[in-house]
């Protein structure tokens, strides 16, 4: 396996192309198609889609019925066929072709000098500015037929799937313009039959707001069909007698925009993207209703036509955006929306829990760290919305052997600025007694800071919180986050793994800081809370359990930036370790490339080489498998991110005895460096 090859990692490169046309000049248009096809070949493209009727121009009108032009179309197809012999891409070209006594508006599929098949437009618009039934016959009744092109009979119909024999999962279906606008498009049926890449050759003229309508339909089709969708519209050179054209091209994958070009361009343009065929397959495996729908509506019988891509070897780059922080949007507006929703999911979840069990008080341990801070400000907002006093939140800071004055001060100031009931409960004496009872060396003055030493402190804190909740009529609010649960970075049972309700259980570590910033910027809590929150955001993540210096969580379990990256691709995408490493390498190897979340400070924008990526991925896998028993016994808490959650009643069910052997073996295929 060539680690650096996008094709070897389950991707396929595609292009949606638009280009200037010469009306009623097929030879000139064929030359333009060939030029773009060669460029796509050099770019490593497997499938290149061109606009509707691009060999003649969409706006040729009554010239579609002229023998001279129809004959010229066949000659132009001959030029494209001859030029394609040495080209890699499967070319999908728009042309009018005759069958029997009618002309059809067709997508001609060409590979390496051969026409593999022809897909006619099924549904012809004949309303408002459209008049296609004047020239063309609808192709919705042509399944199972053949048509003569370039001197030989080839498959003809909307029932054609083109399956790559050497790129797993690449199965193409082609439809034409209006086919996408009807209630049940041919592409939807094709997706149910196994098509993963749906293509649309469009001649759509532009009017105000039509571009957004196209985006809506393409995005929706790719999302509903768990597929990729390529869209290429006619543009420069079309006749402007009564209409205008914008040359819109775009590529969507499972509802996500992968690439698009500017509209109204001068000259040809291509939207090029590497499609994640593994993602499409995984989405369909997870969503059983996808297959159920096919059985429920009855499947059209499709014909499958094989072809070879002969993908390029080696590193051809990766033509898609890979988010460094898949739980955190790079777009400022989207991030604000996500934070608004996430915060309110947490707040409303806690509200419902409190009202359903008799309006108890909330008992919470606060450390001055990110997680307990966020849980506390969620609780404060919930009390505000319920019309209850914030004094009904009982916040306790519980210093131990290694608690720093800075974090303790921050916890104290935060609680006071929020107006909650606050107290300090020092656990050092109790912890010392327990360690002595356990005959631990620390009780005799030895500096032994093992897992027992750490967990005695963590366990005592939780034990006190539960007993305080009994004593004061409250429930213990959990503070541990999704990332810690994935890595098992929590003390089981009588420890921070347990609570009566955990508002942070569905929130990854890399998102929490942005949620706190959202609370600051939107002034959710009033007063001088914002100043303290800003200081808390500047602190290093540490459990503060071991004396004698700063104890870094990330030094033990890995950078949360990398571990959340892995977490997303494991639980949401089901990706193999070697693919996760490949994606992380592209996302993190150069801090100067790609996008960062809004407001992310430049001085802390880091990078990781492949060796670091591989090391921390192994740490993730070993911890993830070893700590499932903790996740199998989680308290209630709301799902927040579409990336998933660890709840055994929700997204993630896994046996506690599973072994990571196969995953680690897959990781062994990743080189230590490049």
């Amino acid at each position: 396996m060539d680690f650096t090859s996008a094709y070897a990692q389950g991707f396929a490169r595609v292009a949606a192309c638009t280009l200037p046309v010469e009306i009623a000049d097929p030879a000139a248009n064929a030359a333009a198609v060939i030029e773009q096809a060669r460029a796509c070949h050099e770019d490593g493209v497997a499938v290149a889609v061109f606009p509707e009727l691009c060999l003649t121009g969409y706006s040729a009108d009554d010239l579609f019925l002229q023998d001279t032009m129809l004959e010229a179309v066949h000659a132009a197809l001959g030029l494209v066929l001859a030029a394609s012999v040495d080209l890699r891409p499967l070319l999908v070209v728009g042309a009018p072709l005759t069958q029997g006594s009618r002309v059809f508006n067709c997508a001609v599929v060409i590979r390496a000098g051969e026409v593999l098949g022809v897909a006619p437009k099924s549904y012809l618009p004949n309303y408002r500015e459209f008049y296609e039934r004047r020239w063309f016959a609808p192709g919705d009744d042509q399944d199972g037929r053949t048509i003569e092109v370039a001197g030989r009979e080839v498959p003809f119909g909307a029932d054609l799937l083109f399956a790559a024999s050497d790129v797993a999962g690449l199965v193409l279906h082609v439809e034409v313009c209006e086919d996408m606008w009807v209630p049940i498009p041919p592409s939807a049926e094709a997706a149910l039959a196994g098509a993963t890449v749906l293509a649309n050759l469009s001649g759509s003229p532009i009017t105000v707001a039509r571009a957004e309508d196209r985006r809506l339909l393409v995005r929706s089709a790719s999302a509903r069909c768990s597929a990729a969708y390529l869209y290429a519209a006619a543009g420069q050179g079309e006749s402007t007698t009564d209409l205008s054209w914008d040359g819109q091209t775009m590529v969507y994958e499972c509802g996500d925009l992968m690439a698009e070009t500017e509209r109204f361009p001068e000259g040809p343009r291509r939207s090029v993207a590497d499609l994640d065929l593994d993602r499409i397959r995984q989405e369909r495996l997870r969503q059983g209703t996808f297959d159920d729908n096919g059985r429920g509506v009855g499947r059209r019988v499709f014909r499958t036509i094989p072809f070879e891509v002969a993908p390029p070897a080696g590193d051809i780059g990766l033509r898609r955006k890979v988010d460094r922080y898949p739980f955190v949007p790079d777009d400022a507006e989207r991030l604000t929306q996500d934070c608004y929703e996430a915060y309110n999911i947490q707040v409303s979840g806690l509200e419902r829990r409190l009202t359903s069990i008799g309006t108890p008080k909330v008992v919470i341990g606060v450390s001055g760290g990110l997680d307990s801070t966020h849980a506390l400000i969620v609780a404060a907002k919930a009390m505000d919305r319920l019309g209850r006093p914030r004094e009904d939140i009982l916040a306790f800071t519980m210093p131990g052997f290694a608690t720093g004055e800075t974090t303790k001060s921050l916890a104290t100031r935060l609680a006071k600025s929020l107006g909650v009931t606050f107290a300090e409960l020092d656990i050092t004496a109790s912890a010392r007694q327990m360690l002595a009872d356990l005959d631990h060396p620390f009780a005799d003055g030895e500096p032994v800071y093992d897992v027992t030493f750490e967990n005695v402190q963590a366990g005592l804190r939780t034990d006190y919180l539960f007993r305080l909740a009994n004593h004061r009529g409250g429930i213990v609010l959990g503070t541990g986050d999704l990332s810690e649960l994935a890595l098992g970075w929590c003390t089981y049972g009588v420890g921070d793994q347990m609570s009566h309700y955990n508002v942070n259980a569905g929130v990854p570590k890399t998102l929490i800081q942005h949620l706190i910033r959202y609370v600051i910027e939107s002034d959710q809590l009033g007063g001088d809370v914002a100043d303290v929150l800003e200081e808390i955001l500047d602190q290093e993540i540490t459990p503060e359990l071991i004396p004698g210096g700063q104890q870094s969580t990330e030094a033990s379990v890995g950078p949360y930036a990398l571990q959340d990256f892995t977490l997303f691709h494991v639980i949401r995408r089901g990706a193999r370790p070697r693919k996760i490493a490949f994606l992380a390498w592209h996302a993190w190897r150069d801090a100067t490339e790609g996008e960062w979340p809004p407001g992310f400070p430049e001085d802390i924008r880091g990078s990781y080489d492949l060796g670091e990526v591989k090391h921390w991925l192994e740490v993730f896998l070993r911890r993830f498998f070893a700590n499932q028993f903790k996740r199998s016994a989680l308290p209630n808490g709301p799902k927040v991110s579409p990336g998933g959650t660890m709840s055994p009643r929700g997204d993630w069910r896994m046996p506690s005895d599973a072994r990571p052997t196969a995953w680690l073996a897959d990781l062994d295929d990743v080189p230590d460096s490049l």
Side-chain angles (χ1 to χ4, degrees):
M1 193 272 292
D2 183 355
F3 175 79
T4 64
S5 167
Y7 279 95
Q9 295 286 1
F11 296 96
R13 185 162 296 177
V14 300
C17 312
T18 191
L19 70 178
V21 297
E22 299 292 341
I23 297 298
D25 191 346
N29 295 326
V33 167
I34 292 166
E35 180 183 18
Q36 291 306 301
R38 286 176 176 151
C40 288
H41 172 83
E42 294 299 322
D43 211 10
V45 168
V47 175
V49 177
F50 292 84
E52 180 180 10
L53 297 168
C54 62
L55 289 185
T56 58
Y58 177 84
S59 52
D61 293 350
D62 284 356
L63 298 179
F64 288 127
L65 302 177
Q66 292 285 309
D67 283 341
T68 303
M69 191 165 78
L70 292 172
E71 290 170 3
V73 165
H74 279 273
L77 282 171
L79 296 174
V80 176
L81 284 167
S84 71
V85 169
D86 298 321
L87 300 181
R88 175 179 299 105
L90 183 80
L91 306 176
V92 187
V93 179
L97 296 176
T98 56
Q99 167 76 323
S101 60
R102 297 299 302 274
V103 178
F104 289 84
N105 181 346
C106 298
V108 184
V109 181
I110 296 168
R111 171 69 172 91
E114 293 186 19
V115 175
L116 300 185
V118 176
K121 188 172 185 175
S122 293
Y123 303 102
L124 304 178
N126 223 52
Y127 53 87
R128 294 195 295 272
E129 66 264 39
F130 301 107
Y131 206 20
E132 288 191 30
R133 280 184 178 265
R134 179 181 176 94
W135 312 297
F136 303 120
D140 59 328
D141 60 349
Q142 297 298 305
D143 289 7
R145 305 287 184 87
T146 62
I147 189 172
E148 184 178 336
V149 185
R152 69 192 231 11
E153 291 289 319
V154 299
F156 180 65
D159 59 336
L160 305 180
L161 302 180
F162 302 89
S165 58
D166 54 352
V167 176
L170 177 54
V171 182
L172 175 73
H173 177 267
V174 181
E175 61 188 5
V176 183
C177 202
E178 184 75 8
D179 294 344
M180 178 179 74
W181 296 73
V182 299
I184 304 177
S187 58
E189 297 176 271
L192 292 171
T196 55
V197 180
L198 313 174
N200 188 288
L201 289 69
S202 177
S204 174
I206 187 63
T207 55
V208 170
R210 183 170 287 169
E212 285 305 309
D213 291 342
R214 296 174 189 148
R215 285 194 185 95
L216 175 65
L217 288 171
V218 172
R219 182 182 183 190
S220 174
S222 72
R224 285 186 299 99
C225 295
S226 295
Y229 202 103
L230 285 59
Y231 181 88
Q236 190 179 11
E238 292 286 356
S239 172
T240 58
T241 301
D242 290 302
L243 298 167
S244 191
W245 319 83
D246 67 337
Q248 186 175 24
T249 73
M250 52 189 152
V251 178
Y252 274 82
E253 174 190 291
C254 298
D256 295 331
L257 179 64
M258 296 288 106
E260 65 178 341
T261 55
E262 77 270 26
R263 297 162 57 215
F264 306 101
E266 288 288 332
R269 293 290 187 274
R270 300 189 301 276
S271 288
V272 180
D274 289 334
L275 301 178
D276 190 343
L277 301 173
D278 289 337
R279 176 192 181 187
I280 292 168
R281 177 177 49 80
Q282 278 278 338
E283 287 294 306
R284 294 179 178 183
L285 287 177
R286 279 169 164 69
Q287 186 179 338
T289 51
F290 178 89
D291 185 64
D292 293 344
N293 182 231
R295 291 188 292 108
V297 301
R299 286 180 175 165
R300 189 177 200 167
V301 178
F302 281 83
R303 291 173 284 172
T304 299
I305 301 164
F307 72 98
E308 287 189 2
V309 172
D315 185 3
I316 60 170
L318 187 63
R319 300 288 287 274
R320 65 187 283 126
K321 181 175 179 286
V322 182
D323 290 319
R324 289 181 172 90
Y325 293 93
F327 292 105
V328 183
D330 296 330
D331 177 74
E333 185 177 350
R334 180 71 254 177
L335 177 58
T336 299
Q337 177 70 13
D338 282 10
C339 288
Y340 160 78
E341 291 179 344
Y343 185 60
N344 281 283
I345 287 169
Q346 294 176 277
V347 170
S348 62
L350 180 57
E351 282 183 77
R352 182 70 183 93
R353 179 50 53 96
L354 292 174
T355 57
S356 69
I357 56 177
T359 62
K361 294 180 180 179
V362 170
V363 176
I364 181 172
V366 290
S367 66
L370 289 178
D371 290 350
S372 65
T373 292
H374 186 59
L376 181 57
I377 60 180
V378 167
K381 188 67 174 181
M383 289 300 185
D384 291 349
R385 286 177 40 158
L386 289 169
R388 294 177 57 184
R390 292 183 186 173
E391 288 87 348
D392 282 355
I393 301 171
L394 312 181
F396 295 88
T397 187
M398 293 177 282
F401 296 119
T403 301
E405 287 301 319
T406 298
T407 51
K408 188 170 78 168
S409 170
L410 288 171
T412 303
R413 289 167 53 204
L414 176 63
K416 290 182 177 179
S417 67
L418 287 168
V420 304
T421 302
F422 177 74
E424 180 179 326
L425 198 165
D426 194 315
I427 66 164
T428 52
S430 298
R432 198 178 301 278
Q433 181 62 52
M434 181 175 283
L435 289 166
D437 294 342
L438 295 173
D439 197 23
H440 190 276
F442 179 80
D444 296 325
E446 296 183 39
V448 176
Y449 307 128
D450 57 8
V451 67
T452 304
F453 178 83
E454 294 187 41
N455 281 350
V456 160
Q457 297 172 78
L460 276 171
R461 286 173 175 141
T462 303
D463 195 6
Y464 273 118
L465 290 174
F466 271 97
R467 303 296 74 80
L468 285 162
N470 294 154
H471 185 52
R472 305 283 184 86
I475 63 168
V476 176
L477 190 65
T479 63
D481 62 54
L482 178 66
S483 309
E484 292 178 343
L485 292 171
L487 293 162
W489 191 246
C490 53
T491 302
Y492 182 75
V494 184
D496 53 334
Q497 178 261 355
M498 188 50 61
S499 63
H500 288 115
Y501 191 74
N502 185 1
V503 291
N504 286 344
V507 182
K509 185 77 77 177
T510 49
L511 180 59
I512 281 185
Q513 60 181 299
H514 296 281
L515 291 174
I516 295 174
R517 287 196 179 96
Y518 165 77
V519 170
I520 295 170
E521 292 167 3
S522 58
D523 192 23
Q524 294 288 316
L525 300 169
D528 58 354
V529 177
D531 294 337
V532 187
L533 293 178
E534 289 282 9
E535 292 184 54
I536 290 170
L537 286 170
D538 292 335
Q539 302 303 305
E540 182 177 2
I541 301 169
T542 171
E544 292 192 319
L545 293 171
I546 297 176
Q550 185 80 327
Q551 182 187 7
S552 170
T553 297
E554 291 182 296
S556 297
V557 300
Y560 278 113
L562 279 183
Q563 302 302 43
D564 276 3
F565 184 95
T566 297
L567 173 62
F568 177 87
H569 287 281
V570 166
I571 67 174
R572 183 64 185 87
R573 298 282 168 81
R576 304 176 185 90
R578 67 176 182 268
K579 184 165 190 170
I580 296 172
F582 175 79
L583 290 168
W585 176 58
H586 275 279
W588 284 101
R589 60 183 173 176
D590 188 344
T592 65
E593 293 186 359
E595 298 181 56
W596 290 82
F600 201 98
E602 290 194 20
D603 59 340
I604 61 170
R605 296 182 179 184
S607 61
Y608 300 99
D609 61 30
L610 185 57
E612 292 172 302
V613 167
K614 183 178 180 181
H615 168 72
W616 291 118
L617 184 49
E618 180 179 350
V619 169
F620 178 94
L621 292 171
R622 291 187 183 279
R623 294 192 66 96
F624 186 77
F625 275 82
N627 288 282
Q628 174 59 28
F629 72 97
K630 297 179 182 179
R631 300 187 292 269
S632 294
L634 287 182
N636 294 168
K639 178 178 177 178
V640 172
S641 168
T645 183
M646 295 279 94
S647 171
R649 299 166 299 278
D651 279 6
W652 193 253
R653 295 166 178 82
M654 172 181 168
S656 298
D657 301 315
R659 300 183 64 185
T661 309
W663 283 260
L664 294 172
D666 187 271
L667 184 62
D668 284 341
D669 288 339
V670 177
D672 294 327
S673 62
L674 287 173

